[in-house]
Amino acid sequence: MTNSSFITKIAAVIKDNYSDKLSDTVVILPNKRAKVFLIEAIKGQLSQTAFSPEIVSIEDFIQNISGVRSIDSIEQLFEFYEVYLSITPSSQRQSFELFANWAKTLLQDFNEIDRYLLDPSHVLSYLKDIEDIKKWGIEVENKTQLLENYIDFWKLLPNYYQSLYDHLLAKGIGYQGLIYREAVKNLNHFINTVHKKQFIFAGFNALNAAEEKIVQELLAMGQAKIYWDADQTFLNDPYHDAGLFLRRFKQNWKYYKTHPFEWIVNDFSATKNIHVIGTPKSIGQAKIAGSILEQTILEHPEKALDKVAVVLGEESLLVPLLYSLPASTGALNITMGYSAKNNPAQILLAKLFKMHTNSLSRNNKGYVFYYKEVLDVLTHPLVEPYAEARELVQLINVNNYTFITYQKLLDLNPKPSELFLLLFKKWETGAVPVLETIINLLQTLKNNLSNDNEEEKITKAFVFAIFKVINKLITYYSKHQHIDKIETLYAIYKQVIDVAEVSFEGEPLNGLQIMGVLESRVLDFDTVIVTSMNEGKFPAGKSSNSFIPYDVKRELGLPTFKEKDAIYTYHFYHLLQRATTVYLLYNTESEGLDAGEKSRFITQLDVERQPNHNLTHEIYNAVLPDTAYIPMEVPKSTAVMLRLKEIAEQGFSPSALTKYIRNPIDFYFQKILRIREVEEVEESIALNTLGTIIHETLKTLYEPFIGRLISELDLQQCFKLVDDEVLKQFKLVFKEGEIKKGRNLLAFEVAKRNVSNFLKVELENIKAGDEIQIIALEQTYERLLEHPKLPFPVLIKGNVDRIEKRNGTIRIIDYKTGKVEKATVTLRSWEDLTIDIKNEKIIQVLAYAYMFEKEAKGLPIEAGIISFKNLKEGFLPFNFKSGKEETKNIEEEILTNYLEQIVLLLTEILDETIPFTEKIN
């Protein structure tokens, strides 16, 4: 059996050695998380009431010694920019955005230099010398201004450092490194003021130079004890990264020449069941973690889950994991925050920033919004129920508004709600007023949400998290008013939101523990489930965000990726140290966004396998169904049959019949259920809209000629009207859509050309001697079809583009804007007419011929298509080909054969026993 946990052992030490002076004892831990567990462990050791020892994290402890307040990374940037402006000539100053690009990296380097107590002028002048050597061979005359500026930048680094250090210190604030350096300077004074206190350092692994100095000083003064959690497996192996720092301290600290190194344990080599499970993608890992927990609860229903931890190598797995937890999980404690980046209020703000920054960047005199951005904001779930703007959304969609001025938006929505006005208020007055508008917006959103609804309570927490971020930005901007561009504000907002988190409330001592890697320090669990065991995730991999090269870091004793890997290694092995059951989950996909090869830690466990470790490897794959998709099938109920009868009375159009042939389910949705496509803004003219414009233009141009012969003069007059008529139809059909530029201008020109080309062909025909008389344009015809096989008469009804009498023959014409070949209207056999969708144009034109037959009064009939993309072919009539014979005129025999096939199709549609079955292409 493994030994008791590290926290329990610390509690026992406090009870045995410090119980008479608990109020003068300070326990320093690597993080705040372990404090609750330590207090609980001390309570378990004491039999009577006592004052708790003071328990602090190492950061808070060092801040107390230094007397300097810590500030976050964004405030550091603002303060650094103040310093930068004060020491840089105005001609050489950069904007805040450009400055921030390099200042963040430089601040990290300043931080490392200070934490490791290095001489800044030595390190920074070293960097300048390296850059000088790199540019050594460049002749003086070849040195450009850009190069000079680059070398000057490195010369200025010591000045930047010292000026920033003095500036922050004067304000009593600092970044972490400055606080550590000041703590070391202030250490003697601190020791003199706390000579009665005893300090216990517990559970540390890697210490920086400042922390080492402080701890060693307190140890030397006899005011402190330090307890490591060192397992002999790693400590005694000179190559094992998990013991890298502990070996250094044991060997190098003067204290250990005369004192024992406490504690060295032998827990890792105890019996353990380690299950390595690979599965494709991240979601699979969350599902497996959920099923492992379910199995654990089933096998040990009497045991609580407080000795079970799920450690997420990737924070983004938190939500999938929560959805995968079994219902029997019970109490739950989430130690990690949920990133504010993905919360609904943040997504709304991101859309707002995008809409307003784009409006400001357009060079129009007005304040112009793009319709997609407006709709994105108005249809957001936090806005849509409360903005009272549904009619406005409808207006934008129906009228094809693409770009909308601020004034037009107010005109379209004459009674705006308070929320609407806050969303679209102009962002022209500077950063602080914009932030105050956002604060008012967030308060309005909060007031719209109810406390009684659980989901809305969670949304409220998200809104509050963003509210805090915006408040922080107002504080920054109030102090630094010269940084006032909206673009800069958005860049800073994105940086702040990257580090902002929504905290979960939980009972830390009860139930399942869900945490990140760093939160697991000092804690021990019996069962551990670790996700994302892939290179680049666990360990995190190389990322050198520094101006200091690797070899310089090695020489100066600064941490490199080697040390960062060693820290990860310690955390990983510490998780396993006292656990008896371990599950390591990894993504088997080696390519893709969240992929990477299997973590080296898994390989290391395998290669250095301990005799008592039972290590198993499994690959889990999703169960693939035998059938990828089962086609939908809808039986014909009484209500469906009534609707079919209603359609039969009102009229089956040829397009309804072809829709059924293409896919019966589409027919069911559109004709039976009457589901229409949602009205949307048509930014670029769709092909069907272009078709409507050409149809309507030709109808208007030819209407004056109905009932009489067309002359050459008539058509020459039409040519003059084409441009105006096409424009007029565009405005009628496309409404407010933009047609003066881009793809729509091209479509406009295409429409004009199509109409002109059509008129040219007509003119050539008349010149060649054709007599053309228009009978009807865009007219609806109908005819009742009665047949013994049909359960009831069916009305065939449709809209014909054009009917004319040409040289004594009735010609029924259907215009097509797409390309149609002669073969499309040629039929060789009647049997497959209604089976294959390629015959849809034949079904259409023959339906028109059937409807008009009685009105033809015995004249020969042709029916066919004019394709605007194939005008050189002219009129493409339907023709029936039997062997070498071709029939173009639609005679009684053709219509009889056609009707037989249509009756078969209608019989199937109206047969109650045949369900609507989806066709899969």
Side-chain angles (χ1 to χ4, degrees):
M1 182 66 197
T2 55
N3 295 332
S4 57
S5 74
F6 179 74
I7 289 275
T8 311
K9 286 161 75 177
I10 292 291
V13 166
I14 292 169
K15 182 213 168 200
D16 296 342
N17 302 344
Y18 299 90
S19 53
D20 54 338
K21 48 190 174 193
L22 276 182
S23 54
D24 279 335
T25 304
V26 181
V27 184
I28 298 105
L29 298 170
N31 59 12
K32 292 176 183 171
R33 162 103 175 105
K35 177 178 176 178
V36 187
F37 288 87
L38 181 56
I39 289 174
E40 191 65 20
I42 294 170
K43 270 200 282 187
Q45 296 278 346
L46 297 173
S47 54
Q48 60 193 62
T49 307
F51 283 107
S52 166
E54 187 184 345
I55 303 171
V56 291
S57 70
I58 185 78
E59 277 97 351
D60 291 347
F61 175 64
I62 289 182
Q63 203 168 303
N64 290 343
I65 300 175
S66 68
V68 178
R69 179 174 66 82
S70 172
I71 56 172
D72 64 35
S73 57
I74 306 298
E75 198 170 343
Q76 288 169 31
L77 264 183
F78 274 101
E79 294 293 347
F80 190 9
Y81 193 56
E82 290 277 313
V83 172
Y84 168 78
L85 292 177
S86 68
I87 61 175
T88 310
S90 55
S91 60
Q92 293 169 17
R93 287 176 189 167
Q94 293 182 344
S95 68
F96 186 81
E97 295 101 302
L98 286 174
F99 163 83
N101 288 336
W102 54 264
K104 277 187 283 186
T105 307
L106 196 54
L107 279 169
Q108 283 178 354
D109 286 341
F110 289 172
N111 193 33
E112 291 288 84
I113 289 166
D114 284 343
R115 280 167 23 129
Y116 283 82
L117 305 176
L118 299 173
D119 174 7
S121 56
H122 169 66
V123 179
L124 299 169
S125 59
Y126 201 148
L127 296 184
K128 183 193 83 69
D129 294 343
I130 291 169
E131 294 305 322
D132 281 345
I133 291 166
K134 281 185 191 171
K135 308 292 180 284
W136 195 285
I138 297 172
E139 299 294 336
V140 176
E141 61 271 16
N142 292 338
K143 285 196 175 178
T144 61
Q145 188 56 48
L146 186 69
L147 192 58
E148 293 286 351
N149 291 348
Y150 180 74
I151 291 166
D152 285 347
F153 169 75
W154 297 100
K155 286 181 188 167
L156 286 166
L157 294 189
N159 189 13
Y160 287 154
Y161 171 86
Q162 201 53 52
S163 304
L164 177 65
Y165 197 100
D166 296 341
H167 170 81
L168 293 175
L169 209 51
K171 287 187 161 188
I173 55 177
Y175 51 87
Q176 193 191 45
L178 180 147
I179 293 169
Y180 276 51
R181 194 184 279 277
E182 285 302 306
V184 171
K185 286 182 188 172
N186 203 28
L187 187 56
N188 288 334
H189 170 69
F190 174 78
I191 289 171
N192 292 334
T193 57
V194 293
H195 55 272
K196 284 186 184 172
K197 294 211 179 236
Q198 284 293 314
F199 300 95
I200 301 168
F201 293 90
F204 287 90
N205 166 42
L207 299 173
N208 59 48
E211 288 166 342
E212 277 194 65
K213 195 168 176 76
I214 291 165
V215 172
Q216 287 193 74
E217 191 73 29
L218 287 166
L219 288 172
M221 298 296 290
Q223 276 188 261
K225 291 281 274 181
I226 184 160
Y227 296 98
W228 310 95
D229 197 3
D231 195 286
Q232 66 183 40
T233 309
F234 319 128
L235 194 66
N236 298 339
D237 180 344
Y239 301 108
H240 206 300
D241 273 356
L244 179 76
F245 296 102
L246 302 181
R247 286 195 297 274
R248 281 184 194 171
F249 302 147
K250 186 170 184 272
Q251 192 176 337
N252 299 339
W253 283 15
K254 199 186 283 184
Y255 178 76
Y256 290 124
K257 302 282 187 281
T258 53
H259 294 80
F261 187 89
E262 296 177 303
W263 291 307
I264 301 171
V265 296
N266 188 17
D267 292 335
F268 183 71
S269 58
T271 305
K272 295 183 195 305
N273 291 313
I274 301 170
H275 308 275
V276 179
I277 302 171
T279 187
K281 301 290 177 197
S282 302
I283 302 297
Q285 296 176 56
K287 297 285 179 202
I288 290 169
S291 61
I292 291 168
L293 290 166
E294 192 163 16
Q295 195 61 34
T296 306
I297 294 165
L298 282 172
E299 287 172 7
H300 306 285
E302 74 292 345
K303 278 192 182 178
L305 288 177
D306 50 0
K307 284 291 176 191
V308 180
V310 181
V311 179
L312 300 181
E314 235 182 328
E315 283 190 357
S316 59
L317 268 183
L318 178 59
V319 172
L321 175 71
L322 292 177
Y323 276 106
S324 305
L325 293 177
S328 50
T329 304
L332 184 69
N333 182 43
I334 303 169
T335 319
M336 53 199 297
Y338 177 62
S339 170
K341 266 198 293 194
N342 304 321
N343 94 49
Q346 185 323 85
I347 291 165
L348 174 62
L349 276 204
K351 289 178 177 190
L352 262 191
F353 266 109
K354 184 182 174 189
M355 180 176 78
H356 283 287
T357 48
N358 286 345
S359 296
L360 287 165
S361 65
R362 289 188 188 102
N363 293 326
N364 302 34
K365 288 171 188 168
Y367 198 87
V368 181
F369 299 111
Y370 178 46
Y371 85 95
K372 271 188 184 169
E373 291 160 2
V374 172
L375 295 182
D376 267 357
V377 169
L378 288 176
T379 54
H380 186 280
L382 284 176
V383 173
E384 190 174 28
Y386 315 105
E388 298 163 23
R390 281 188 189 144
E391 284 180 23
L392 171 65
V393 171
Q394 192 70 21
L395 274 172
I396 292 171
N397 281 325
V398 170
N399 292 301
N400 276 335
Y401 285 106
T402 314
F403 288 98
I404 314 160
T405 63
Y406 173 76
Q407 193 51 52
K408 184 74 176 171
L409 199 65
L410 291 180
D411 293 345
L412 290 172
N413 191 21
K415 292 179 183 173
S417 62
E418 181 195 356
L419 177 60
F420 182 88
L421 291 172
L422 284 168
L423 289 166
F424 295 99
K425 185 177 179 181
K426 290 184 185 180
W427 285 13
E428 293 177 322
T429 48
V432 174
V434 165
L435 290 169
E436 283 167 351
T437 301
I438 293 172
I439 284 283
N440 292 336
L441 172 66
L442 292 171
Q443 284 174 328
T444 308
L445 293 176
K446 182 199 87 146
N447 296 336
N448 289 335
L449 298 168
S450 154
N451 275 333
D452 304 328
N453 182 317
E454 279 302 316
E455 275 195 19
E456 290 196 2
K457 270 164 81 175
I458 294 169
T459 309
K460 236 178 193 178
F462 285 137
V463 172
F464 181 63
I466 305 298
F467 180 82
K468 286 193 290 188
V469 168
I470 300 296
N471 256 338
K472 197 183 272 189
L473 284 173
I474 289 178
T475 310
Y476 295 156
Y477 269 89
S478 307
K479 289 182 194 165
H480 309 275
Q481 291 186 354
H482 46 270
I483 310 167
D484 206 27
K485 284 167 73 181
I486 299 298
E487 293 80 2
T488 314
L489 173 62
Y490 188 33
I492 293 165
Y493 168 75
K494 282 194 287 192
Q495 287 175 23
V496 178
I497 214 73
D498 272 352
V499 293
E501 289 185 328
V502 183
S503 300
F504 289 90
E505 287 180 15
E507 179 48 63
L509 301 163
N510 279 348
L512 175 69
Q513 305 290 321
I514 299 175
M515 56 183 70
V517 181
L518 294 177
E519 287 85 11
S520 68
R521 288 178 292 182
V522 197
L523 305 178
D524 296 302
F525 299 95
D526 293 343
T527 302
V528 177
I529 302 165
V530 188
T531 70
S532 308
M533 291 292 300
N534 289 77
E535 286 296 315
K537 302 281 184 333
F538 203 145
K542 293 180 194 175
S543 61
S544 176
N545 198 8
S546 170
F547 286 128
I548 306 171
Y550 173 77
D551 49 349
V552 177
K553 284 189 169 186
R554 284 291 301 269
E555 187 192 330
L556 297 170
L558 287 170
T560 63
F561 64 83
K562 162 86 174 145
E563 280 72 24
K564 284 173 185 160
D565 269 3
I567 292 170
Y568 252 90
T569 309
Y570 177 82
H571 292 327
F572 172 69
Y573 279 97
H574 185 268
L575 272 171
L576 273 56
Q577 195 167 308
R578 292 185 183 83
T580 51
T581 310
V582 178
Y583 297 90
L584 305 176
L585 313 182
Y586 69 95
N587 180 1
T588 53
E589 298 287 299
S590 57
E591 291 176 2
L593 287 176
D594 60 347
E597 60 185 275
K598 186 164 64 174
S599 172
R600 70 191 81 161
F601 295 152
I602 294 175
T603 311
Q604 194 173 0
L605 280 173
D606 226 343
V607 173
E608 300 171 354
R609 190 184 298 205
Q610 301 289 312
N612 292 329
H613 288 188
N614 175 25
L615 193 68
T616 61
H617 291 266
E618 292 174 272
I619 300 288
Y620 282 29
N621 281 313
V623 178
L624 289 174
D626 297 332
T627 315
Y629 179 72
I630 298 166
M632 200 186 299
E633 206 171 84
V634 180
K636 289 174 185 159
S637 63
T638 312
V640 169
M641 292 309 296
L642 283 171
R643 173 69 188 136
L644 283 168
K645 189 164 190 194
E646 189 185 327
I647 296 170
E649 286 166 3
Q650 291 170 352
F652 265 96
S653 66
S655 63
L657 297 175
T658 56
K659 192 173 287 299
Y660 181 86
I661 296 167
R662 181 176 275 111
N663 193 346
I665 282 294
D666 286 349
F667 174 87
Y668 171 73
F669 285 145
Q670 291 183 22
K671 298 294 172 188
I672 308 294
L673 299 183
R674 291 177 265 209
I675 296 172
R676 285 190 316 210
E677 285 187 13
V678 177
E679 189 84 53
E680 284 181 345
V681 171
E682 205 176 296
E683 202 173 341
S684 294
I685 291 171
L687 285 174
N688 57 347
T689 309
L690 187 64
T692 306
I693 289 164
I694 294 170
H695 277 62
E696 290 300 320
T697 304
L698 288 173
K699 179 190 171 193
T700 311
L701 291 175
Y702 276 90
E703 260 176 346
F705 317 137
I706 291 176
R708 69 176 176 84
L709 291 175
I710 302 171
S711 69
E712 286 182 38
L713 187 66
D714 290 335
L715 290 177
Q716 279 157 357
Q717 285 298 114
C718 286
F719 277 110
K720 295 174 187 173
L721 302 172
V722 170
D723 286 15
D724 289 343
E725 194 52 49
V726 171
L727 182 62
K728 182 179 155 193
Q729 294 303 333
F730 252 90
K731 292 216 167 134
L732 282 170
V733 176
F734 201 48
K735 301 192 171 69
E736 299 287 334
E738 174 63 69
I739 56 168
K740 290 182 181 162
K741 58 188 175 197
R743 291 166 72 172
N744 293 344
L745 178 61
L746 294 175
F748 178 62
E749 293 301 326
V750 165
K752 287 199 299 190
R753 184 174 296 181
N754 278 344
V755 174
S756 297
N757 288 347
F758 178 79
L759 292 172
K760 277 179 196 165
V761 171
E762 290 272 83
L763 190 59
E764 283 166 16
N765 289 342
I766 288 173
K767 282 179 179 175
D770 278 7
E771 285 189 352
I772 305 170
Q773 181 189 340
I774 302 288
I775 295 170
L777 294 168
E778 302 287 342
Q779 196 165 320
T780 303
Y781 288 91
E782 57 185 51
R783 186 171 175 184
L784 196 67
L785 173 60
E786 293 179 282
H787 195 279
K789 287 185 181 174
L790 292 175
F792 38 77
V794 174
L795 188 70
I796 305 293
K797 184 177 182 179
N799 198 50
V800 186
D801 290 344
R802 168 166 159 164
I803 301 175
E804 64 183 27
K805 189 162 94 177
R806 186 176 288 239
N807 305 329
T809 300
I810 298 290
R811 184 178 278 188
I812 297 169
I813 300 169
D814 192 31
Y815 299 137
K816 296 290 178 198
T817 39
K819 187 164 187 176
V820 179
E821 301 285 355
K822 189 179 178 183
T824 314
V825 284
T826 301
L827 187 70
R828 294 175 187 279
S829 159
W830 289 104
E831 270 66 49
D832 61 351
L833 176 70
T834 60
I835 292 165
D836 199 332
I837 191 60
K838 72 174 188 225
N839 295 323
E840 64 173 331
K841 291 178 178 63
I842 295 173
I843 292 169
Q844 264 185 313
V845 295
L846 288 180
Y848 299 147
Y850 168 68
M851 290 186 280
F852 192 74
E853 185 198 19
K854 286 184 178 174
E855 294 184 38
K857 293 168 184 163
L859 287 172
I861 299 175
E862 286 181 332
I865 280 165
I866 288 179
S867 163
F868 287 101
K869 281 194 177 171
N870 195 9
L871 269 177
K872 65 178 187 298
E873 292 284 330
F875 176 67
L876 302 169
F878 159 77
N879 69 86
F880 183 73
K881 221 171 189 181
S882 178
K884 290 186 178 178
E885 278 184 40
E886 276 190 34
T887 312
K888 285 189 182 176
N889 284 353
I890 297 165
E891 295 154 359
E892 194 174 336
E893 186 190 348
I894 282 181
L895 280 180
T896 305
N897 288 328
Y898 169 70
L899 286 176
E900 265 182 37
Q901 297 303 313
I902 293 299
V903 166
L904 282 174
L905 178 65
L906 284 167
T907 310
E908 183 185 315
I909 295 173
L910 303 175
D911 188 336
E912 198 170 350
T913 61
I914 300 174
F916 294 110
T917 305
E918 184 178 10
K919 275 188 190 172
I920 294 173
N921 298 329

